[in-house]
Each structure stands twice: as C-alpha cells, then as structure tokens.
C-alpha cells in the first residue's frame, strides 16, 4: 500500500512538471529511509510522463514469480551487473519480481551478499604495489633465516586521542522500552580537546608512552629528544648486557621519522631501521592494533593530565600475550601483501 501512495505522489508531481530528482528529494525528506530509491522514482516518472494512468504494478504473466526460472535469475543478474549498488526496490522496479523471489535468487542461486565498500588509505600505483611486495619478501627472508627476530623489533608512532570518547556504533547500542526514546550521542566538534601521544612498544609490552605537551609539534628534533632518546634509555634498562645490539625500529615514513639527523642518531645507537613501504598502515602494528584498542578502552577525561594517566593505564593493562600476537600478525600480513600482489589486503583477513 505504501508503494501505491508513493506512486500517486510521483504521478501528481510529474503532472505538475517536477523533475525526478526533486521528487526523490521530497520523498526522502518526508519518509527518510522508507523513501523509494531514485531509480524507482525516475522509472515511475518516466511511465507517468509517457501517459500511464495506473499506479499499480503491471500484471505478471508466464511462470509464477515464485519460481526460480533461468530467465528470472538472468534478469536479476543483469540488473546487479549493471549497478552493483542496486537496492531491492531498484531490482523490483526493473524486473517486476517479488521481494521474496529476488531474495532467493540473490542468496540461493547467485550466491551473492551485499557488503560495504572497503575504504583504503591510498590508491596504490603499480610501482608502489611492487615496492610493497619487494620489501615484504626481503623482510620475511630475514625473519625466516633467523637473522631477524620479532623480539628484537621496536615499533612506534603518534596518535591523536580525544578527551571525549564516542566509540563504535555497535558499542553504543542499548535496549529500550516501547515508550522510551533512544539515547543520543553528540558528534565531535571541530575543536574538541585532544592530545597527541607517541607510543612505542615491543613484543613483550610498552617501551614508551609519551604525551606531547599542548602546543608542541613533533619535528625531527622533538622526535629525537623526547621519543627516541627515552626509547634508547629504556632499551638499555631492559637489556643491560646487550643494549641496542640487534634492535630494529619499525616506523612509518613521516618526515620527522626519516630526517637525516634522526637516521644518523639511530645509526650511532646501533639501531637498524626496518624498511617500511609508503602508504602502508596495514603493515604497521600501531595502525592496525594498539591505537584502536586503546581508544576503545578509554572513558571520557576532563583534562590533559587525566587523559595521559588513562592512556598509560590502558596500555599497561594490556596482557603481554596481546603484544606478541600483534607482532606474529605482522608476518601474516606480509604474506597477505605478497599473495595480494602488493594491494591492500585487510578485506581478506578473517
């Protein structure tokens, strides 16, 4: 019945000379998610513009629509091939099949499912994909022949953390009664307070948790003095006899990380730098695990000092096994990168 009312509206607006885009926007404003798709509005606008009077579906001839005929299957396949983003309403408008039949064809016959498009950080060129494969192969060889060990790697990066935590939509869901209103969560404003943290860790736990003072930026001098030197000091504290011998640093290619003075300092400290391909957060532990983990386990904090304490506490509560797992996953991710010919691969992770 809702479809009939919508078509009456489309018919009247078409007679008044209103274009399909405007009609769809009006229906979307009034009905929200229950509004028909633009494709459906455009199709019925076309029919009414050609002189059609009836707002009901056309009678369906031939085999019952409930039958999964080859003809119906190919009809649905063609609509989806032409527009992979088609909704059920779009397919109904194109094929005149019932919702139930279309659902059975898509899931049982075509073995298809609808998933959200994957967001990627960068459109990689062929050269960048080749570089990713090359570096992953080189690094894997060193791990496999024993010249490198996961326990000898330190990784670190910077991350912004807000004072007010929003978390994911799924964690904000709550049960409500029939007459109750859902809770509301205010979107973050552009200038909401946040602080920058520099976090380094090994396979057995954190090495450095540094809160950058408000107003400071991390250039190569700040990075060396406030991040790398404390990291080196902590390494010597943990490895009194070996010191920095055998230590490798895995970091991204931010300017402050690869500036010549930074490289020279690390060389003087006998710390080797692991080659990291550009645009590769999927191959950096800080991006694919701890930063997100920390933010999910924080509560709202009133100021900079309380946020720093909360972040430090959250990191130190992480079990050592979790740190080891994320380093083991680095090798798995290198394999996935190679097998996916250098392209982003996170959609392949189960």
């Amino acid at each position: 019945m809702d479809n009939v009312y919508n078509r009456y509206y489309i018919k009247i607006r078409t007679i008044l000379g209103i274009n399909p885009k405007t009609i769809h926007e009006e229906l979307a404003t009034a009905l929200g998610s229950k509004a028909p798709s633009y494709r459906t509005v455009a199709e019925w606008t076309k029919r009414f513009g050609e002189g059609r009077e009836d707002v009901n579906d056309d009678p369906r001839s031939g085999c019952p629509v409930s039958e999964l005929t080859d003809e119906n299957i190919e009809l649905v396949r063609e609509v989806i091939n032409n527009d992979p983003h088609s909704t059920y309403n779009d397919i109904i408008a194109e094929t005149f099949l019932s919702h139930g039949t279309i659902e059975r064809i898509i899931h049982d016959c075509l073995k298809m499912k609808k998933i959200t498009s994957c967001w990627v950080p960068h459109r990689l060129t062929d050269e960048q994909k080749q570089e990713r494969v090359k570096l992953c192969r080189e690094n894997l060889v060193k791990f496999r022949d024993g010249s490198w060990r996961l326990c000898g790697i330190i990784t670190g990066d910077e991350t912004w953390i807000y004072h007010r935590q929003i978390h994911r939509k799924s964690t904000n869901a709550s049960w409500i009664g029939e007459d109750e209103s859902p809770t509301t969560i205010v979107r973050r404003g552009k200038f909401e307070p946040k602080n920058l943290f520099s976090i380094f860790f090994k396979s057995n736990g954190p090495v450095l948790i540094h809160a950058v003072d408000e107003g400071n930026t991390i250039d190569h001098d700040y990075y060396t003095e406030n991040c790398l030197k404390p990291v080196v000091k902590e390494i010597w504290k943990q490895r009194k006899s070996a010191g920095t011998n055998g230590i490798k640093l895995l970091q991204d290619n931010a300017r402050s990380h690869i500036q010549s003075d930074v490289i020279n300092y690390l060389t003087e400290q006998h710390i080797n730098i692991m080659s990291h391909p550009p645009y590769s957060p999927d191959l950096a532990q800080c991006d694919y695990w701890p930063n997100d983990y920390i933010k999910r386990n924080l509560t709202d904090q009133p100021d900079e000092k309380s946020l720093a304490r909360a972040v430090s506490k959250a990191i130190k509560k992480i079990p050592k096994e979790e740190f080891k797992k994320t380093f083991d996953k680095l090798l798995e991710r290198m394999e996935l990168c190679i097998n996916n010919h250098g392209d982003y691969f996170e959609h392949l992770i189960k």
Side-chain angles (χ1 to χ4, degrees), residues 9 43 84 142 163 191 196 215-216 224 263 280 282 314 322 334:
Y9 184 85
E43 177 65 26
K142 293 173 182 176
H163 292 203
F191 301 105
L196 185 61
N216 285 335
T224 302
I263 303 300
S280 298
D282 52 345
E322 294 299 319
M334 289 180 182

Side-chain angles (χ1 to χ4, degrees), residues 68 73 76 80 88 99-115:
L68 304 181
I73 293 171
V76 173
I80 292 175
Y88 276 106
H99 186 286
T101 299
I102 292 170
E103 188 172 37
R104 290 174 62 193
I105 288 174
I106 291 174
H107 295 290
D108 299 339
C109 301
L110 299 180
K111 305 295 184 186
M112 300 179 77
K113 61 181 179 180
K114 199 168 193 179
I115 60 174

Side-chain angles (χ1 to χ4, degrees), residues 34-88:
K34 295 182 179 180
S37 68
Y38 173 75
R39 182 196 289 267
T40 300
V41 173
E43 177 65 26
W44 282 97
T45 302
K46 180 173 179 287
R47 294 175 189 178
F48 294 135
E50 293 171 347
R52 177 175 177 134
E53 295 292 335
D54 191 4
V55 296
N56 294 300
D57 290 323
D58 293 329
R60 297 165 183 158
S61 59
C63 298
V65 295
S66 60
E67 290 186 7
L68 304 181
T69 65
D70 291 341
E71 182 182 359
N72 289 343
I73 293 171
E74 287 307 311
L75 200 57
V76 173
R77 190 199 304 273
E78 183 179 354
V79 174
I80 292 175
N81 286 343
N82 289 337
D83 182 6
H85 302 286
S86 299
T87 64
Y88 276 106

Side-chain angles (χ1 to χ4, degrees), residues 234-349:
E234 181 63 23
I235 293 172
W236 276 98
K237 183 178 176 182
Q238 294 182 12
R239 308 169 86 230
K240 292 181 173 59
S241 57
T244 56
N245 289 329
I247 293 294
K248 282 83 181 172
L249 176 63
L250 176 57
Q251 58 181 1
D252 63 21
N253 298 302
R255 287 187 180 181
S256 59
H257 296 176
I258 59 175
Q259 201 267 352
S260 58
D261 289 343
V262 172
I263 303 300
N264 291 337
Y265 173 75
L266 291 170
T267 303
E268 290 170 4
Q269 298 299 320
H270 307 290
I271 295 176
N272 294 320
I273 301 173
M274 283 184 64
S275 299
H276 182 71
Y279 307 112
S280 298
D282 52 345
L283 293 170
Q285 293 104 315
C286 284
D287 286 300
Y288 66 73
W289 175 64
N291 290 346
D292 186 51
Y293 181 96
I294 295 163
K295 293 170 186 178
R296 287 202 317 268
N297 288 277
L298 285 178
T299 57
D300 294 352
Q301 301 299 324
D303 52 46
E304 183 178 346
K305 288 184 178 179
S306 62
L307 179 63
R309 288 194 297 268
V311 169
S312 179
K313 183 178 179 181
I315 296 174
K316 290 175 180 178
K317 283 179 65 175
I318 300 174
K320 288 186 177 180
E321 295 76 18
E322 294 299 319
F323 286 98
K324 184 177 184 306
K325 283 180 187 176
T326 198
F327 275 84
D328 291 337
K329 287 177 182 177
L330 176 62
L331 303 186
E332 296 173 12
R333 284 171 172 260
M334 289 180 182
E335 291 277 10
L336 283 170
C337 182
I338 294 168
N339 294 337
N340 205 37
H341 310 293
D343 209 347
Y344 294 118
F345 53 79
E346 293 205 308
H347 61 287
L348 301 175
I349 297 175

